[in-house]
Amino acid sequence: MSFRANPSHPSIPSASGSWRTFFRYVLPSVSAMVLFSAYTIIDGIFVSRGVGELALAAVNISLPFINILSGVAILLSMGTSTLCAFAMGEGDHDRAERVFTQTVVVILAVSAVITLGVSLFAEPLGYLLGAGPQTIGYTAEYLHIVCLFSVCFILSYCLEVMVKVDGRPQLAVIGVGTSFLVNVGLDYVFIFRLGWEVWGAALATGLAQLASMAFFLSYFLSGKSNLKFRRFRLRLKDLRRILPLGIADCSIELMLGFLTLLYNHVILSAFGEGCLPIYAVIAYISLLVSMVMQGVAQGMMPLVSLAVGQNDKTSIRLYLKQCLITVAAVGILVELVCQLAPGTLVSLLLEGDSSLFGQTVSALRQYALSYLPAGVSIALAGYFAALGRSGSSALLSLSRGFVLLPAALLVFYALGGGTGIWLAALTGEAVTLALGLILLYRVER
């Protein structure tokens, strides 16, 4: 079977579940995710080289707040994209536009609340995230600036997802690429030329998100898009459908923040504040890997959802198979790099003569064993969400991020602490993968 393209919306894919169609959506999605994580990593590189290791640790301590912003964006965007894809696949374009517009308005309201809250409580939040006496100044400073751009983080991500549903996945790469260039350029100017240190890194990140938001808004306001903003009546029913469908990918993002917080507290207890840069390096590398896996899954999702709307069961299964093959290949490749050349990766963020360099290399080798099973679990959660099976998707993602991985870390820490904590991720991901395969069997049956 093939997609029956709506003649009034020729940008909706019309090919069956081929590799060409799959990569047409996955490659832009992965590229956008890589660029997103790349400028976060470059932030870390500039801060580490231009300010110091403790400043790097402070920015990493602040990352759970960025994860919260991204999580809110994903929570609203993934469900919205799924409902809009269902509606467009069924030919109900007006409903797709109402759902889209309502989500944008909700984002504006939620962002205002987040900005106000963090502005008032940046320092207490910094301590909660794992800052100590040596890092709280940098951490609170970073949070104060970044929170002012909350709406840019959330709305730019939502619009980036929706241009793919609109049939223009290549625009996602251009928009995120614009943000990447702005962030790198401003990082260099603010940190190395003007000496604004962590404050400058935060401002560069915020302005980069503002540039991305402006780019995507200009597309949807230009009259060239299929989806347009329109008058709507608030429908809580739509929100109740959107939120469960977005929980899977949202929890992946929140999980990264929660694990960063948990690891920071465990490291403070086991090794002291001076060793926080070890996990900072691992967290930045893990962010890149996770974003690639999510990019593959999110590229698959609108295709599966469109196929569901058109009852194309053959394409649904083909897209799942292609997604699993792709994340497995990525996981194996990353694992080889982390085992054969971990020092090259670590040297991006730490100087070769750092007292923490050897410990960080060893920790990365152990932690990287978790990347392959993690990728498969992310793909399965995305597949369940794209089918509209929000219960299975949420169960897998929430169990992974807030039960299995944290439990594994705490068990390894309780059994001996020390370097054994770096193997906790592998144990947690293996159990998560087993749960994912059980859920897949149930869904397919």
Side-chain angles (χ1 to χ4, degrees):
M1 291 185 181
S2 63
F3 285 114
R4 298 188 302 275
N6 187 329
S8 64
H9 303 294
S11 58
I12 296 176
S14 58
S16 63
S18 66
W19 280 102
R20 181 178 179 180
T21 303
F22 177 75
F23 281 121
R24 177 173 172 252
Y25 273 69
V26 166
L27 289 179
S29 181
V30 170
S31 299
M33 286 293 193
V34 168
L35 287 172
F36 176 81
S37 57
Y39 66 66
T40 303
I41 294 171
I42 288 173
D43 250 2
I45 294 173
F46 275 110
V47 168
S48 178
R49 304 288 181 176
V51 188
E53 290 180 3
L54 283 178
L56 172 67
V59 172
N60 182 64
I61 289 168
S62 304
L63 283 183
F65 173 63
I66 305 296
N67 295 133
I68 290 172
L69 294 179
S70 298
V72 172
I74 292 169
L75 179 65
L76 295 169
S77 304
M78 289 297 100
T80 299
S81 70
T82 299
L83 291 190
C84 288
F86 283 167
M88 293 174 74
E90 295 166 356
D92 191 349
H93 196 72
D94 289 344
R95 181 166 180 271
E97 291 185 333
R98 287 194 297 270
V99 171
F100 171 48
T101 307
Q102 176 176 279
T103 296
V104 171
V105 173
V106 170
I107 285 173
L108 295 177
V110 171
S111 300
V113 173
I114 292 174
T115 297
L116 179 62
V118 177
S119 296
L120 295 175
F121 302 104
E123 188 166 314
L125 177 60
Y127 281 118
L128 176 65
L129 295 177
Q134 300 177 66
T135 53
I136 187 59
Y138 285 136
T139 304
E141 186 178 30
Y142 193 86
L143 291 171
H144 264 301
I145 299 301
V146 168
C147 77
L148 300 176
F149 296 91
S150 296
V151 66
C152 302
F153 277 90
I154 299 173
L155 185 54
S156 65
Y157 181 86
C158 175
L159 297 177
E160 182 250 312
V161 170
M162 293 309 298
V163 297
K164 288 179 278 190
V165 177
D166 199 56
R168 299 292 296 277
Q170 67 277 10
L171 288 181
V173 182
I174 298 173
V176 178
T178 299
S179 181
F180 173 80
L181 294 176
V182 170
N183 195 50
V184 172
L186 292 182
D187 261 336
Y188 174 75
V189 173
F190 291 167
I191 296 175
F192 284 101
R193 291 297 182 185
L194 300 178
W196 289 354
E197 298 188 339
V198 170
W199 185 88
L203 183 60
T205 298
L207 291 175
Q209 290 297 314
L210 176 61
S212 176
M213 182 184 73
F215 174 84
F216 290 122
L217 272 177
S218 67
Y219 168 70
F220 283 108
L221 294 173
S222 67
K224 298 178 181 178
S225 61
N226 289 317
L227 287 172
K228 295 177 175 61
F229 298 116
R230 61 179 298 147
R231 290 181 180 273
F232 72 97
R233 180 177 298 174
L234 182 65
R235 285 172 52 93
L236 296 180
K237 179 180 179 181
D238 286 336
L239 282 176
R240 286 195 295 267
R241 290 193 67 192
I242 286 170
L243 297 181
L245 290 172
I247 282 177
D249 287 294
C250 168
S251 66
I252 294 170
E253 190 68 27
L254 294 181
M255 178 206 73
L256 291 174
F258 181 62
L259 286 178
T260 298
L261 183 154
L262 193 58
Y263 265 102
N264 283 334
H265 282 282
V266 167
I267 291 168
L268 275 172
S269 176
F271 307 115
E273 192 173 5
C275 289
L276 286 173
I278 294 176
Y279 186 67
V281 173
I282 291 175
Y284 279 114
I285 295 171
S286 298
L287 172 65
L288 176 60
V289 176
S290 177
M291 289 296 102
V292 171
M293 300 300 192
Q294 282 184 256
V296 175
Q298 290 179 15
M300 167 198 68
M301 287 175 66
L303 293 172
V304 171
S305 295
L306 285 167
V308 169
Q310 297 163 347
N311 197 29
D312 186 351
K313 296 180 180 180
T314 301
S315 291
I316 291 171
R317 291 190 173 87
L318 281 174
Y319 288 132
L320 171 63
K321 179 180 178 181
Q322 291 161 353
C323 183
L324 293 176
I325 291 173
T326 303
V327 296
V330 170
I332 292 171
L333 177 61
V334 172
E335 176 63 26
L336 288 174
V337 173
C338 289
Q339 297 303 324
L340 299 177
T344 301
L345 298 177
V346 172
S347 64
L348 294 174
L349 291 154
L350 290 182
E351 298 284 358
D353 58 358
S354 168
S355 60
L356 299 175
F357 193 88
Q359 292 173 263
T360 307
V361 166
S362 175
L364 177 61
R365 277 191 167 132
Q366 296 175 68
Y367 195 95
L369 296 172
S370 66
Y371 292 150
L372 176 56
V376 177
S377 296
I378 289 170
L380 290 176
Y383 175 67
F384 298 149
L387 290 177
R389 299 295 294 265
S390 57
S392 297
S393 182
L395 175 60
L396 179 59
S397 298
L398 292 175
S399 297
R400 174 179 180 251
F402 298 100
V403 179
L404 300 176
L405 290 175
L409 173 60
L410 294 176
V411 167
F412 272 73
Y413 173 63
L415 291 176
T419 58
I421 63 173
W422 307 120
L423 286 172
L426 173 61
T427 303
E429 294 291 5
V431 177
T432 302
L433 177 57
L435 173 61
L437 293 176
I438 293 171
L439 292 172
L440 178 63
Y441 173 77
R442 292 179 59 187
V443 167
E444 292 297 298
R445 194 180 68 175

